[in-house]
Amino acid sequence: KQEVTQIPAALSVPEGENLVLNCSFTDSAIYNLQWFRQDPGKGLTSLLLIQSSQREQTSGRLNASLDKSSGRSTLYIAASQPGDSATYLCAVLGAYKYIFGTGTRLKVLA
Amino acid sequence: DVKVTQSSRYLVKRTGEKVFLECVQDMDHENMFWYRQDPGLGLRLIYFSYDVKMKEKGDIPEGYSVSREKKERFSLILESASTNQTSMYLCASTSGGTEDSYNEQFFGPGTRLTVL
């Protein structure tokens, strides 16, 4: 059974820092991996999608990498800003179902 | 701009009531999903649909049913609401006929349901 873990569960950093969020999964037979952002009480906003054949994707200050063989993905946020404060979730797709991690709650201090 | 909409942001119902949550997407997506999100448990899949009139059980289907009469609309039904169904309900959709062609999953804003 696929399990997705995100470490750390919470993170507090000063503005301007570069940071890395981690996502690990137990079954490497995935079709894609997606990173989301969730603000309190809101739905999920898609940030990046990495297909299983890809190694990384970039969008602005965000870069996500995927290593299927080791069951890991990282989300790199460059030059963090207070507006980046949110919960970040990863989800892996296998057998028609997405399995989500429980998220990393990020707070960027001004 | 792609969009997934849900019929209500907040809903309060009584125990035993039949509850309908509606989700509409305007992206002509084949696949639609209903999740619930609870603190400490994350997102859990209730039901999904990969085509009109098709449905598949997710991980926690008990106490729920779904309907997909049109491609753009996916409804979640709580047959007899109970207090343990108090939760945030999230709808999502994605294109792609098979898993290896699935694209981004887009979410609606969520419905916060309280059952008293």
Side-chain angles (χ1 to χ4, degrees):
Chain A
K1 182 184 173 185
Q2 178 75 271
E3 291 182 5
V4 181
T5 305
Q6 291 187 247
I7 295 173
L11 186 61
S12 186
V13 300
E15 182 177 7
E17 273 205 9
N18 301 324
L19 49 97
V20 175
L21 307 182
N22 297 295
C23 172
S24 61
F25 46 95
T26 55
D27 185 350
S28 62
I30 65 169
Y31 292 95
N32 66 41
L33 184 145
Q34 195 168 355
W35 281 94
F36 296 89
R37 166 192 175 127
Q38 186 176 30
D39 294 290
K42 303 285 180 66
L44 279 66
T45 299
S46 176
L47 297 174
L48 290 165
L49 171 73
I50 311 177
Q51 300 289 358
S52 63
S53 58
Q54 298 173 324
R55 297 284 296 192
E56 65 178 322
Q57 283 287 336
T58 298
S59 176
R61 294 183 294 110
L62 304 179
N63 175 275
S65 67
L66 174 64
D67 184 344
K68 273 180 55 176
S69 60
S70 67
R72 289 182 187 174
S73 176
T74 60
L75 179 66
Y76 176 82
I77 303 176
S80 58
Q81 303 170 358
D84 295 330
S85 298
T87 296
Y88 291 81
L89 297 111
C90 66
V92 298
L93 173 64
Y96 282 101
K97 294 198 301 187
Y98 291 88
I99 306 297
F100 285 79
T102 50
T104 294
R105 192 168 61 254
L106 172 66
K107 188 167 186 178
V108 181
L109 305 169
Chain B
D1 196 19
V2 296
K3 193 173 277 189
V4 179
T5 57
Q6 294 184 228
S7 50
S8 305
R9 289 299 309 276
Y10 301 94
L11 208 51
V12 180
K13 295 291 181 181
R14 297 275 178 199
T15 301
E17 280 192 76
K18 192 168 186 175
V19 181
F20 293 87
L21 302 181
E22 291 209 320
C23 175
V24 177
Q25 51 93 4
D26 64 1
M27 297 165 280
D28 200 34
H29 283 173
E30 291 86 352
N31 313 296
M32 298 187 74
F33 305 82
W34 274 107
Y35 298 91
R36 63 177 284 177
Q37 185 177 31
D38 301 286
L41 297 176
L43 272 85
R44 293 179 291 167
L45 180 64
I46 305 171
Y47 267 97
F48 65 101
S49 169
Y50 51 88
D51 200 354
V52 176
K53 296 191 186 293
M54 304 301 288
K55 60 185 179 184
E56 291 285 343
K57 292 180 181 179
D59 299 317
I60 51 163
E62 296 79 19
Y64 303 94
S65 62
V66 290
S67 172
R68 193 166 180 201
E69 296 296 319
K70 294 185 177 181
K71 190 176 185 180
E72 67 270 20
R73 189 180 299 269
F74 192 35
S75 300
L76 180 69
I77 303 154
L78 286 66
E79 299 291 342
S80 177
S82 63
T83 55
N84 64 12
Q85 292 179 310
T86 291
S87 186
M88 171 71 110
Y89 288 87
L90 293 162
C91 174
S93 72
T94 184
S95 63
T98 56
E99 300 104 307
D100 57 0
S101 64
Y102 273 27
N103 258 309
E104 278 183 276
Q105 192 174 188
F106 292 94
F107 277 80
T111 296
R112 173 74 64 184
L113 173 67
T114 301
V115 182
L116 302 175

